[in-house]
Amino acid sequence: MKKALITGVSGQDGSYLAEYLLDLGYEVWGLVRREPETSRWLAATAHRIEFVYGDLRDEESLAVAFQKAWPDEVYNLAAQVFVPTSWECPAETFDINVGGFARLLRIVERQKPDTRVYQASTSEMFGNVEANCNEETPFNPMSPYGTSKMAAHRLAAVYRNRGIYVLGGILFNHESPRRGPEMVTRKITRAAARWVMGDRVKLKLGNLQSRRDWGFAGDYVKAMHAMLQPDTPNDYVIGTGISHSVEDFLQQVLTELRKICGSSDVPRSIEDWVEVDTQFLRTGEIHNLQADSSAARNDLGWQPSVDFAHLVKMMVEADLASLREVLGAKTAG
Ligand code: NAP
């Protein structure tokens, strides 16, 4: 039975990846900073995962976790992931996103150099590019977050040259009902659910014309696993190839809400619901990101199974259901 160690197992991608690897028959070890029961997303699988406590900033805890798991594959998904926080705390972002990965690689090289390592790289490394980005597109990150991920991605290449099986999956934005609530898509679907339940507060957002290539996280964790299977490690770009604006996302949310709730409880228009707030307009903002995943499609046979409309539907339904559950519990209490 293959063994995998996942850092960031309590997050969106970590929880989907754990489920996927368990289904494939893996023994799954998850690095956590606190009680796994505090992550809603692990509730269904926690009893099947071996948890080890650790922090990417603490090499000793990583070494102990690694020794306990003794993995065939490591998926380094833990990170400080939020771009605005990376401007507030750039040094901490680097310590976690670059230092943490450097600590892990040193442990792998010293303890078990045949371990295969996946690094969670990101489209934020590209910055503003007019064309669809592939593995050859030059990096031009626009934030401390993007820069930290680029440094870690380069570090992976350096260790690969030294013989370690390590690669960076350059993933474009991927969402799900498990997406962090601070991220724009989830901020929108949560606000939509609150509106329908009677909380008619305007939603404040930044640039509505910002475009991203949004896919479903459950599809993307399959690509992570597929990347670690070939004999030779290679970086791959993963995305749907289609971008949508924040305004498109809002419009799709309204469409889905009308189907679910009828028109009366739903905002009449984006203008009635959303207010552009200059505090969310960012310097160095990336206006458009779109993937060219032909290499992953050709080499790994990977392709997304969930389109934009289905993704939005899934997120709206989940946030409505969870808010109804909370309000129901309050009423019952
Ligand atoms: P997420 O839901 O925010 O999860 C982040 C995880 O990192 C959490 O489990 C968190 O643990 C853990 N973590 C943070 N700091 C840590 C530290 N110092 N030590 C140990 N664990 C720490 O993020 P995600 O969306 O699943 O993203 C997973 C990875 O993919 C990240 O590296 C991200 O940069 C990368 N990525 C994501 C996307 C995307 O669109 N989602 C796109 C490209 C790349 P706690 O629960 O303890 O906070």
mmCIF file of all heavy atoms in Angstrom, residues 122-142 169-173 211-213 220 235-243 286-297 302:
data_model
loop_
_atom_site.group_PDB
_atom_site.id
_atom_site.type_symbol
_atom_site.label_atom_id
_atom_site.label_comp_id
_atom_site.label_asym_id
_atom_site.label_seq_id
_atom_site.Cartn_x
_atom_site.Cartn_y
_atom_site.Cartn_z
ATOM 1 N N THR A 122 1.348 27.973 -8.477
ATOM 2 C CA THR A 122 0.111 28.706 -8.781
ATOM 3 C C THR A 122 0.235 29.605 -10.009
ATOM 4 O O THR A 122 1.323 30.114 -10.313
ATOM 5 C CB THR A 122 -0.294 29.578 -7.563
ATOM 6 O OG1 THR A 122 -1.292 30.519 -7.961
ATOM 7 C CG2 THR A 122 0.879 30.368 -7.008
ATOM 8 N N SER A 123 -0.895 29.850 -10.651
ATOM 9 C CA SER A 123 -0.940 30.773 -11.790
ATOM 10 C C SER A 123 -0.568 32.192 -11.379
ATOM 11 O O SER A 123 -0.250 33.017 -12.241
ATOM 12 C CB SER A 123 -2.345 30.762 -12.399
ATOM 13 O OG SER A 123 -3.305 30.990 -11.390
ATOM 14 N N GLU A 124 -0.642 32.504 -10.075
ATOM 15 C CA GLU A 124 -0.248 33.842 -9.608
ATOM 16 C C GLU A 124 1.219 34.117 -9.914
ATOM 17 O O GLU A 124 1.668 35.259 -9.830
ATOM 18 C CB GLU A 124 -0.499 33.972 -8.105
ATOM 19 C CG GLU A 124 -1.960 33.987 -7.712
ATOM 20 C CD GLU A 124 -2.650 35.341 -7.945
ATOM 21 O OE1 GLU A 124 -2.006 36.369 -7.759
ATOM 22 O OE2 GLU A 124 -3.833 35.331 -8.335
ATOM 23 N N MET A 125 1.993 33.093 -10.241
ATOM 24 C CA MET A 125 3.406 33.299 -10.598
ATOM 25 C C MET A 125 3.527 34.005 -11.953
ATOM 26 O O MET A 125 4.542 34.604 -12.250
ATOM 27 C CB MET A 125 4.149 31.954 -10.676
ATOM 28 C CG MET A 125 4.085 31.154 -9.378
ATOM 29 S SD MET A 125 5.100 29.658 -9.368
ATOM 30 C CE MET A 125 4.595 28.779 -10.807
ATOM 31 N N PHE A 126 2.479 33.918 -12.796
ATOM 32 C CA PHE A 126 2.573 34.465 -14.148
ATOM 33 C C PHE A 126 2.375 35.976 -14.198
ATOM 34 O O PHE A 126 2.896 36.632 -15.100
ATOM 35 C CB PHE A 126 1.537 33.804 -15.073
ATOM 36 C CG PHE A 126 1.815 32.351 -15.352
ATOM 37 C CD1 PHE A 126 0.873 31.378 -15.083
ATOM 38 C CD2 PHE A 126 3.038 31.961 -15.897
ATOM 39 C CE1 PHE A 126 1.127 30.032 -15.350
ATOM 40 C CE2 PHE A 126 3.303 30.616 -16.161
ATOM 41 C CZ PHE A 126 2.348 29.654 -15.883
ATOM 42 N N GLY A 127 1.575 36.521 -13.282
ATOM 43 C CA GLY A 127 1.239 37.937 -13.381
ATOM 44 C C GLY A 127 0.296 38.177 -14.548
ATOM 45 O O GLY A 127 -0.459 37.281 -14.939
ATOM 46 N N ASN A 128 0.325 39.380 -15.112
ATOM 47 C CA ASN A 128 -0.585 39.708 -16.228
ATOM 48 C C ASN A 128 -0.026 39.226 -17.558
ATOM 49 O O ASN A 128 1.028 39.683 -17.990
ATOM 50 C CB ASN A 128 -0.796 41.219 -16.282
ATOM 51 C CG ASN A 128 -1.882 41.647 -15.317
ATOM 52 O OD1 ASN A 128 -2.993 41.104 -15.354
ATOM 53 N ND2 ASN A 128 -1.560 42.569 -14.435
ATOM 54 N N VAL A 129 -0.738 38.292 -18.177
ATOM 55 C CA VAL A 129 -0.311 37.759 -19.479
ATOM 56 C C VAL A 129 -1.532 37.792 -20.398
ATOM 57 O O VAL A 129 -2.628 37.431 -19.983
ATOM 58 C CB VAL A 129 0.175 36.288 -19.325
ATOM 59 C CG1 VAL A 129 0.674 35.763 -20.660
ATOM 60 C CG2 VAL A 129 1.261 36.173 -18.270
ATOM 61 N N GLU A 130 -1.340 38.254 -21.620
ATOM 62 C CA GLU A 130 -2.480 38.345 -22.557
ATOM 63 C C GLU A 130 -2.922 36.959 -23.033
ATOM 64 O O GLU A 130 -4.097 36.664 -23.101
ATOM 65 C CB GLU A 130 -2.100 39.200 -23.777
ATOM 66 C CG GLU A 130 -1.936 40.683 -23.456
ATOM 67 C CD GLU A 130 -3.179 41.288 -22.804
ATOM 68 O OE1 GLU A 130 -4.292 40.914 -23.222
ATOM 69 O OE2 GLU A 130 -3.036 42.099 -21.872
ATOM 70 N N ALA A 131 -1.929 36.094 -23.349
ATOM 71 C CA ALA A 131 -2.275 34.781 -23.930
ATOM 72 C C ALA A 131 -2.531 33.740 -22.827
ATOM 73 O O ALA A 131 -2.280 33.993 -21.652
ATOM 74 C CB ALA A 131 -1.119 34.315 -24.804
ATOM 75 N N ASN A 132 -3.024 32.567 -23.229
ATOM 76 C CA ASN A 132 -3.161 31.458 -22.276
ATOM 77 C C ASN A 132 -1.769 31.010 -21.838
ATOM 78 O O ASN A 132 -0.866 30.908 -22.667
ATOM 79 C CB ASN A 132 -3.881 30.278 -22.933
ATOM 80 C CG ASN A 132 -5.342 30.576 -23.174
ATOM 81 O OD1 ASN A 132 -5.704 31.712 -23.439
ATOM 82 N ND2 ASN A 132 -6.180 29.566 -23.060
ATOM 83 N N CYS A 133 -1.602 30.730 -20.541
ATOM 84 C CA CYS A 133 -0.265 30.415 -20.009
ATOM 85 C C CYS A 133 -0.010 28.909 -20.034
ATOM 86 O O CYS A 133 -0.871 28.114 -19.629
ATOM 87 C CB CYS A 133 -0.162 30.872 -18.562
ATOM 88 S SG CYS A 133 -0.492 32.614 -18.346
ATOM 89 N N ASN A 134 1.190 28.547 -20.473
ATOM 90 C CA ASN A 134 1.595 27.142 -20.389
ATOM 91 C C ASN A 134 2.907 27.036 -19.605
ATOM 92 O O ASN A 134 3.356 28.015 -18.997
ATOM 93 C CB ASN A 134 1.698 26.504 -21.781
ATOM 94 C CG ASN A 134 2.791 27.140 -22.612
ATOM 95 O OD1 ASN A 134 3.723 27.763 -22.090
ATOM 96 N ND2 ASN A 134 2.697 26.990 -23.919
ATOM 97 N N GLU A 135 3.538 25.877 -19.644
ATOM 98 C CA GLU A 135 4.734 25.622 -18.833
ATOM 99 C C GLU A 135 5.910 26.499 -19.258
ATOM 100 O O GLU A 135 6.870 26.659 -18.507
ATOM 101 C CB GLU A 135 5.126 24.139 -18.903
ATOM 102 C CG GLU A 135 4.129 23.170 -18.269
ATOM 103 C CD GLU A 135 2.871 22.937 -19.115
ATOM 104 O OE1 GLU A 135 2.833 23.365 -20.289
ATOM 105 O OE2 GLU A 135 1.917 22.321 -18.584
ATOM 106 N N GLU A 136 5.861 27.047 -20.481
ATOM 107 C CA GLU A 136 6.974 27.876 -20.988
ATOM 108 C C GLU A 136 6.768 29.369 -20.712
ATOM 109 O O GLU A 136 7.676 30.173 -20.942
ATOM 110 C CB GLU A 136 7.129 27.692 -22.516
ATOM 111 C CG GLU A 136 7.235 26.252 -22.987
ATOM 112 C CD GLU A 136 8.354 25.512 -22.285
ATOM 113 O OE1 GLU A 136 9.410 26.128 -22.054
ATOM 114 O OE2 GLU A 136 8.162 24.326 -21.940
ATOM 115 N N THR A 137 5.594 29.761 -20.287
ATOM 116 C CA THR A 137 5.305 31.189 -20.087
ATOM 117 C C THR A 137 6.191 31.743 -18.970
ATOM 118 O O THR A 137 6.277 31.141 -17.889
ATOM 119 C CB THR A 137 3.814 31.372 -19.705
ATOM 120 O OG1 THR A 137 3.013 30.734 -20.693
ATOM 121 C CG2 THR A 137 3.450 32.840 -19.600
ATOM 122 N N PRO A 138 6.867 32.889 -19.221
ATOM 123 C CA PRO A 138 7.736 33.457 -18.178
ATOM 124 C C PRO A 138 6.935 33.904 -16.945
ATOM 125 O O PRO A 138 5.778 34.301 -17.072
ATOM 126 C CB PRO A 138 8.374 34.674 -18.857
ATOM 127 C CG PRO A 138 8.109 34.523 -20.303
ATOM 128 C CD PRO A 138 6.888 33.663 -20.456
ATOM 129 N N PHE A 139 7.578 33.836 -15.792
ATOM 130 C CA PHE A 139 6.918 34.266 -14.552
ATOM 131 C C PHE A 139 7.122 35.763 -14.338
ATOM 132 O O PHE A 139 8.206 36.300 -14.600
ATOM 133 C CB PHE A 139 7.510 33.511 -13.349
ATOM 134 C CG PHE A 139 7.292 32.020 -13.396
ATOM 135 C CD1 PHE A 139 8.281 31.143 -12.973
ATOM 136 C CD2 PHE A 139 6.082 31.496 -13.845
ATOM 137 C CE1 PHE A 139 8.086 29.768 -13.009
ATOM 138 C CE2 PHE A 139 5.877 30.111 -13.890
ATOM 139 C CZ PHE A 139 6.884 29.250 -13.470
ATOM 140 N N ASN A 140 6.077 36.407 -13.842
ATOM 141 C CA ASN A 140 6.164 37.832 -13.522
ATOM 142 C C ASN A 140 5.185 38.127 -12.382
ATOM 143 O O ASN A 140 4.204 38.854 -12.554
ATOM 144 C CB ASN A 140 5.800 38.652 -14.781
ATOM 145 C CG ASN A 140 5.906 40.123 -14.524
ATOM 146 O OD1 ASN A 140 6.662 40.570 -13.665
ATOM 147 N ND2 ASN A 140 5.119 40.908 -15.260
ATOM 148 N N PRO A 141 5.456 37.550 -11.193
ATOM 149 C CA PRO A 141 4.476 37.657 -10.101
ATOM 150 C C PRO A 141 4.270 39.102 -9.667
ATOM 151 O O PRO A 141 5.178 39.915 -9.770
ATOM 152 C CB PRO A 141 5.106 36.830 -8.975
ATOM 153 C CG PRO A 141 6.555 36.735 -9.295
ATOM 154 C CD PRO A 141 6.665 36.813 -10.785
ATOM 155 N N MET A 142 3.038 39.373 -9.181
ATOM 156 C CA MET A 142 2.669 40.762 -8.849
ATOM 157 C C MET A 142 2.449 40.951 -7.347
ATOM 158 O O MET A 142 1.996 42.009 -6.928
ATOM 159 C CB MET A 142 1.361 41.129 -9.570
ATOM 160 C CG MET A 142 1.347 40.864 -11.054
ATOM 161 S SD MET A 142 2.364 42.018 -11.958
ATOM 162 C CE MET A 142 1.276 43.426 -12.014
ATOM 163 N N GLY A 169 3.014 21.700 -9.570
ATOM 164 C CA GLY A 169 1.762 21.744 -10.326
ATOM 165 C C GLY A 169 1.313 23.194 -10.351
ATOM 166 O O GLY A 169 0.998 23.761 -9.297
ATOM 167 N N ILE A 170 1.305 23.801 -11.546
ATOM 168 C CA ILE A 170 0.948 25.233 -11.650
ATOM 169 C C ILE A 170 -0.556 25.309 -11.856
ATOM 170 O O ILE A 170 -1.055 25.240 -12.997
ATOM 171 C CB ILE A 170 1.719 25.898 -12.806
ATOM 172 C CG1 ILE A 170 3.225 25.633 -12.663
ATOM 173 C CG2 ILE A 170 1.434 27.397 -12.829
ATOM 174 C CD1 ILE A 170 4.057 26.108 -13.854
ATOM 175 N N LEU A 171 -1.279 25.388 -10.747
ATOM 176 C CA LEU A 171 -2.734 25.311 -10.817
ATOM 177 C C LEU A 171 -3.355 26.695 -10.902
ATOM 178 O O LEU A 171 -2.968 27.603 -10.162
ATOM 179 C CB LEU A 171 -3.267 24.557 -9.586
ATOM 180 C CG LEU A 171 -3.366 23.031 -9.744
ATOM 181 C CD1 LEU A 171 -2.084 22.409 -10.268
ATOM 182 C CD2 LEU A 171 -3.815 22.367 -8.470
ATOM 183 N N PHE A 172 -4.312 26.830 -11.801
ATOM 184 C CA PHE A 172 -5.108 28.046 -11.883
ATOM 185 C C PHE A 172 -6.199 27.955 -10.814
ATOM 186 O O PHE A 172 -6.377 26.915 -10.187
ATOM 187 C CB PHE A 172 -5.665 28.211 -13.307
ATOM 188 C CG PHE A 172 -4.624 28.762 -14.251
ATOM 189 C CD1 PHE A 172 -3.437 28.075 -14.474
ATOM 190 C CD2 PHE A 172 -4.796 29.983 -14.875
ATOM 191 C CE1 PHE A 172 -2.445 28.589 -15.308
ATOM 192 C CE2 PHE A 172 -3.825 30.506 -15.724
ATOM 193 C CZ PHE A 172 -2.643 29.823 -15.940
ATOM 194 N N ASN A 173 -6.919 29.071 -10.626
ATOM 195 C CA ASN A 173 -7.881 29.120 -9.506
ATOM 196 C C ASN A 173 -8.843 27.938 -9.547
ATOM 197 O O ASN A 173 -9.418 27.645 -10.599
ATOM 198 C CB ASN A 173 -8.701 30.406 -9.560
ATOM 199 C CG ASN A 173 -7.865 31.612 -9.239
ATOM 200 O OD1 ASN A 173 -6.866 31.872 -9.899
ATOM 201 N ND2 ASN A 173 -8.247 32.335 -8.221
ATOM 202 N N ARG A 211 -10.631 38.918 -14.299
ATOM 203 C CA ARG A 211 -11.007 37.622 -14.882
ATOM 204 C C ARG A 211 -10.103 36.507 -14.358
ATOM 205 O O ARG A 211 -8.891 36.703 -14.214
ATOM 206 C CB ARG A 211 -10.905 37.666 -16.411
ATOM 207 C CG ARG A 211 -11.774 38.705 -17.061
ATOM 208 C CD ARG A 211 -11.640 38.673 -18.570
ATOM 209 N NE ARG A 211 -12.309 37.499 -19.147
ATOM 210 C CZ ARG A 211 -13.602 37.446 -19.430
ATOM 211 N NH1 ARG A 211 -14.371 38.484 -19.216
ATOM 212 N NH2 ARG A 211 -14.132 36.360 -19.943
ATOM 213 N N ARG A 212 -10.680 35.352 -14.082
ATOM 214 C CA ARG A 212 -9.904 34.189 -13.651
ATOM 215 C C ARG A 212 -10.417 32.936 -14.359
ATOM 216 O O ARG A 212 -11.571 32.855 -14.748
ATOM 217 C CB ARG A 212 -10.027 33.965 -12.128
ATOM 218 C CG ARG A 212 -9.338 35.015 -11.259
ATOM 219 C CD ARG A 212 -7.827 34.953 -11.377
ATOM 220 N NE ARG A 212 -7.177 35.936 -10.511
ATOM 221 C CZ ARG A 212 -6.938 37.207 -10.840
ATOM 222 N NH1 ARG A 212 -7.327 37.685 -12.014
ATOM 223 N NH2 ARG A 212 -6.318 38.010 -10.006
ATOM 224 N N ASP A 213 -9.515 31.959 -14.441
ATOM 225 C CA ASP A 213 -9.841 30.646 -15.011
ATOM 226 C C ASP A 213 -10.221 29.759 -13.827
ATOM 227 O O ASP A 213 -9.368 29.208 -13.157
ATOM 228 C CB ASP A 213 -8.584 30.137 -15.741
ATOM 229 C CG ASP A 213 -8.777 28.775 -16.380
ATOM 230 O OD1 ASP A 213 -9.672 28.030 -15.939
ATOM 231 O OD2 ASP A 213 -8.014 28.457 -17.300
ATOM 232 N N TYR A 220 -8.992 19.055 -9.702
ATOM 233 C CA TYR A 220 -7.581 19.450 -9.728
ATOM 234 C C TYR A 220 -6.711 18.540 -8.851
ATOM 235 O O TYR A 220 -5.531 18.338 -9.136
ATOM 236 C CB TYR A 220 -7.438 20.930 -9.325
ATOM 237 C CG TYR A 220 -7.911 21.874 -10.430
ATOM 238 C CD1 TYR A 220 -9.061 21.588 -11.163
ATOM 239 C CD2 TYR A 220 -7.212 23.027 -10.744
ATOM 240 C CE1 TYR A 220 -9.506 22.428 -12.179
ATOM 241 C CE2 TYR A 220 -7.640 23.882 -11.768
ATOM 242 C CZ TYR A 220 -8.794 23.564 -12.475
ATOM 243 O OH TYR A 220 -9.222 24.396 -13.491
ATOM 244 N N ASP A 235 6.866 19.661 -14.502
ATOM 245 C CA ASP A 235 5.868 20.636 -14.063
ATOM 246 C C ASP A 235 4.708 20.638 -15.060
ATOM 247 O O ASP A 235 4.931 20.453 -16.256
ATOM 248 C CB ASP A 235 6.473 22.053 -14.040
ATOM 249 C CG ASP A 235 7.644 22.167 -13.073
ATOM 250 O OD1 ASP A 235 7.676 21.416 -12.085
ATOM 251 O OD2 ASP A 235 8.525 23.016 -13.315
ATOM 252 N N TYR A 236 3.501 20.858 -14.549
ATOM 253 C CA TYR A 236 2.346 20.958 -15.455
ATOM 254 C C TYR A 236 1.446 22.126 -15.070
ATOM 255 O O TYR A 236 1.259 22.404 -13.878
ATOM 256 C CB TYR A 236 1.502 19.672 -15.401
ATOM 257 C CG TYR A 236 2.114 18.513 -16.154
ATOM 258 C CD1 TYR A 236 2.765 17.498 -15.480
ATOM 259 C CD2 TYR A 236 2.032 18.454 -17.546
ATOM 260 C CE1 TYR A 236 3.343 16.433 -16.167
ATOM 261 C CE2 TYR A 236 2.603 17.397 -18.238
ATOM 262 C CZ TYR A 236 3.251 16.389 -17.553
ATOM 263 O OH TYR A 236 3.821 15.345 -18.241
ATOM 264 N N VAL A 237 0.871 22.755 -16.097
ATOM 265 C CA VAL A 237 -0.154 23.783 -15.902
ATOM 266 C C VAL A 237 -1.522 23.094 -15.898
ATOM 267 O O VAL A 237 -1.799 22.260 -16.761
ATOM 268 C CB VAL A 237 -0.081 24.821 -17.046
ATOM 269 C CG1 VAL A 237 -1.379 25.612 -17.171
ATOM 270 C CG2 VAL A 237 1.100 25.772 -16.824
ATOM 271 N N ILE A 238 -2.360 23.487 -14.919
ATOM 272 C CA ILE A 238 -3.701 22.903 -14.825
ATOM 273 C C ILE A 238 -4.749 24.012 -14.755
ATOM 274 O O ILE A 238 -4.695 24.882 -13.878
ATOM 275 C CB ILE A 238 -3.825 22.011 -13.553
ATOM 276 C CG1 ILE A 238 -2.830 20.837 -13.587
ATOM 277 C CG2 ILE A 238 -5.257 21.508 -13.373
ATOM 278 C CD1 ILE A 238 -3.078 19.806 -14.663
ATOM 279 N N GLY A 239 -5.691 23.982 -15.682
ATOM 280 C CA GLY A 239 -6.786 24.956 -15.689
ATOM 281 C C GLY A 239 -7.798 24.544 -16.730
ATOM 282 O O GLY A 239 -7.585 23.582 -17.474
ATOM 283 N N THR A 240 -8.911 25.283 -16.796
ATOM 284 C CA THR A 240 -9.959 24.891 -17.761
ATOM 285 C C THR A 240 -9.689 25.464 -19.140
ATOM 286 O O THR A 240 -10.215 24.977 -20.133
ATOM 287 C CB THR A 240 -11.345 25.393 -17.307
ATOM 288 O OG1 THR A 240 -11.355 26.823 -17.412
ATOM 289 C CG2 THR A 240 -11.666 24.983 -15.884
ATOM 290 N N GLY A 241 -8.907 26.577 -19.197
ATOM 291 C CA GLY A 241 -8.661 27.245 -20.479
ATOM 292 C C GLY A 241 -9.668 28.349 -20.779
ATOM 293 O O GLY A 241 -9.579 29.022 -21.793
ATOM 294 N N ILE A 242 -10.654 28.513 -19.878
ATOM 295 C CA ILE A 242 -11.686 29.546 -20.106
ATOM 296 C C ILE A 242 -11.705 30.474 -18.896
ATOM 297 O O ILE A 242 -11.729 29.997 -17.755
ATOM 298 C CB ILE A 242 -13.088 28.906 -20.249
ATOM 299 C CG1 ILE A 242 -13.075 27.908 -21.409
ATOM 300 C CG2 ILE A 242 -14.162 29.963 -20.451
ATOM 301 C CD1 ILE A 242 -14.286 27.000 -21.441
ATOM 302 N N SER A 243 -11.677 31.781 -19.135
ATOM 303 C CA SER A 243 -11.752 32.691 -17.987
ATOM 304 C C SER A 243 -13.109 33.394 -17.953
ATOM 305 O O SER A 243 -13.780 33.542 -18.982
ATOM 306 C CB SER A 243 -10.614 33.719 -18.031
ATOM 307 O OG SER A 243 -10.869 34.701 -19.004
ATOM 308 N N ILE A 286 -3.826 41.427 -10.842
ATOM 309 C CA ILE A 286 -3.799 40.622 -12.065
ATOM 310 C C ILE A 286 -5.188 40.698 -12.692
ATOM 311 O O ILE A 286 -6.185 40.408 -12.039
ATOM 312 C CB ILE A 286 -3.397 39.165 -11.747
ATOM 313 C CG1 ILE A 286 -1.978 39.144 -11.152
ATOM 314 C CG2 ILE A 286 -3.480 38.309 -12.994
ATOM 315 C CD1 ILE A 286 -1.498 37.797 -10.711
ATOM 316 N N HIS A 287 -5.255 41.151 -13.961
ATOM 317 C CA HIS A 287 -6.561 41.388 -14.582
ATOM 318 C C HIS A 287 -7.156 40.142 -15.234
ATOM 319 O O HIS A 287 -8.362 39.988 -15.294
ATOM 320 C CB HIS A 287 -6.425 42.495 -15.647
ATOM 321 C CG HIS A 287 -5.857 43.739 -15.067
ATOM 322 N ND1 HIS A 287 -6.492 44.431 -14.064
ATOM 323 C CD2 HIS A 287 -4.686 44.404 -15.296
ATOM 324 C CE1 HIS A 287 -5.761 45.470 -13.710
ATOM 325 N NE2 HIS A 287 -4.655 45.471 -14.438
ATOM 326 N N ASN A 288 -6.274 39.280 -15.745
ATOM 327 C CA ASN A 288 -6.795 38.122 -16.467
ATOM 328 C C ASN A 288 -5.815 36.962 -16.365
ATOM 329 O O ASN A 288 -4.613 37.162 -16.509
ATOM 330 C CB ASN A 288 -7.007 38.460 -17.945
ATOM 331 C CG ASN A 288 -7.724 37.349 -18.687
ATOM 332 O OD1 ASN A 288 -8.426 36.531 -18.082
ATOM 333 N ND2 ASN A 288 -7.539 37.294 -19.988
ATOM 334 N N LEU A 289 -6.329 35.780 -16.104
ATOM 335 C CA LEU A 289 -5.476 34.582 -16.087
ATOM 336 C C LEU A 289 -6.217 33.463 -16.772
ATOM 337 O O LEU A 289 -7.402 33.204 -16.479
ATOM 338 C CB LEU A 289 -5.159 34.165 -14.644
ATOM 339 C CG LEU A 289 -3.989 34.859 -13.949
ATOM 340 C CD1 LEU A 289 -3.915 34.437 -12.487
ATOM 341 C CD2 LEU A 289 -2.666 34.571 -14.651
ATOM 342 N N GLN A 290 -5.564 32.787 -17.676
ATOM 343 C CA GLN A 290 -6.196 31.726 -18.454
ATOM 344 C C GLN A 290 -5.143 30.671 -18.776
ATOM 345 O O GLN A 290 -4.037 31.010 -19.204
ATOM 346 C CB GLN A 290 -6.715 32.345 -19.746
ATOM 347 C CG GLN A 290 -7.986 31.721 -20.250
ATOM 348 C CD GLN A 290 -8.662 32.635 -21.257
ATOM 349 O OE1 GLN A 290 -8.951 33.789 -20.952
ATOM 350 N NE2 GLN A 290 -8.896 32.133 -22.445
ATOM 351 N N ALA A 291 -5.509 29.406 -18.600
ATOM 352 C CA ALA A 291 -4.517 28.323 -18.724
ATOM 353 C C ALA A 291 -4.508 27.690 -20.111
ATOM 354 O O ALA A 291 -5.530 27.633 -20.789
ATOM 355 C CB ALA A 291 -4.845 27.237 -17.697
ATOM 356 N N ASP A 292 -3.334 27.197 -20.463
ATOM 357 C CA ASP A 292 -3.213 26.273 -21.594
ATOM 358 C C ASP A 292 -2.696 24.962 -20.998
ATOM 359 O O ASP A 292 -1.519 24.821 -20.707
ATOM 360 C CB ASP A 292 -2.230 26.832 -22.629
ATOM 361 C CG ASP A 292 -1.865 25.787 -23.685
ATOM 362 O OD1 ASP A 292 -2.445 24.684 -23.667
ATOM 363 O OD2 ASP A 292 -0.988 26.088 -24.518
ATOM 364 N N SER A 293 -3.602 24.019 -20.778
ATOM 365 C CA SER A 293 -3.254 22.754 -20.111
ATOM 366 C C SER A 293 -3.047 21.634 -21.105
ATOM 367 O O SER A 293 -3.236 20.459 -20.752
ATOM 368 C CB SER A 293 -4.375 22.337 -19.156
ATOM 369 O OG SER A 293 -4.403 23.171 -18.070
ATOM 370 N N SER A 294 -2.662 21.963 -22.346
ATOM 371 C CA SER A 294 -2.574 20.875 -23.327
ATOM 372 C C SER A 294 -1.562 19.809 -22.931
ATOM 373 O O SER A 294 -1.781 18.625 -23.206
ATOM 374 C CB SER A 294 -2.289 21.380 -24.739
ATOM 375 O OG SER A 294 -1.860 22.669 -24.767
ATOM 376 N N ALA A 295 -0.464 20.193 -22.277
ATOM 377 C CA ALA A 295 0.539 19.184 -21.889
ATOM 378 C C ALA A 295 -0.076 18.179 -20.904
ATOM 379 O O ALA A 295 0.087 16.963 -21.064
ATOM 380 C CB ALA A 295 1.764 19.856 -21.278
ATOM 381 N N ALA A 296 -0.803 18.682 -19.904
ATOM 382 C CA ALA A 296 -1.422 17.767 -18.922
ATOM 383 C C ALA A 296 -2.496 16.908 -19.586
ATOM 384 O O ALA A 296 -2.647 15.725 -19.273
ATOM 385 C CB ALA A 296 -2.023 18.564 -17.774
ATOM 386 N N ARG A 297 -3.231 17.509 -20.514
ATOM 387 C CA ARG A 297 -4.276 16.739 -21.214
ATOM 388 C C ARG A 297 -3.639 15.628 -22.050
ATOM 389 O O ARG A 297 -4.119 14.492 -22.053
ATOM 390 C CB ARG A 297 -5.123 17.660 -22.091
ATOM 391 C CG ARG A 297 -6.052 18.549 -21.274
ATOM 392 C CD ARG A 297 -6.750 19.582 -22.148
ATOM 393 N NE ARG A 297 -7.336 20.634 -21.339
ATOM 394 C CZ ARG A 297 -8.649 20.847 -21.196
ATOM 395 N NH1 ARG A 297 -9.512 20.067 -21.805
ATOM 396 N NH2 ARG A 297 -9.105 21.821 -20.436
ATOM 397 N N TRP A 302 -5.469 14.236 -18.288
ATOM 398 C CA TRP A 302 -6.309 14.990 -17.349
ATOM 399 C C TRP A 302 -7.259 15.917 -18.077
ATOM 400 O O TRP A 302 -6.877 16.531 -19.070
ATOM 401 C CB TRP A 302 -5.434 15.824 -16.397
ATOM 402 C CG TRP A 302 -6.281 16.619 -15.447
ATOM 403 C CD1 TRP A 302 -6.816 16.198 -14.262
ATOM 404 C CD2 TRP A 302 -6.727 17.974 -15.615
ATOM 405 N NE1 TRP A 302 -7.569 17.200 -13.693
ATOM 406 C CE2 TRP A 302 -7.529 18.292 -14.506
ATOM 407 C CE3 TRP A 302 -6.548 18.940 -16.614
ATOM 408 C CZ2 TRP A 302 -8.138 19.534 -14.341
ATOM 409 C CZ3 TRP A 302 -7.164 20.183 -16.465
ATOM 410 C CH2 TRP A 302 -7.941 20.475 -15.326
#
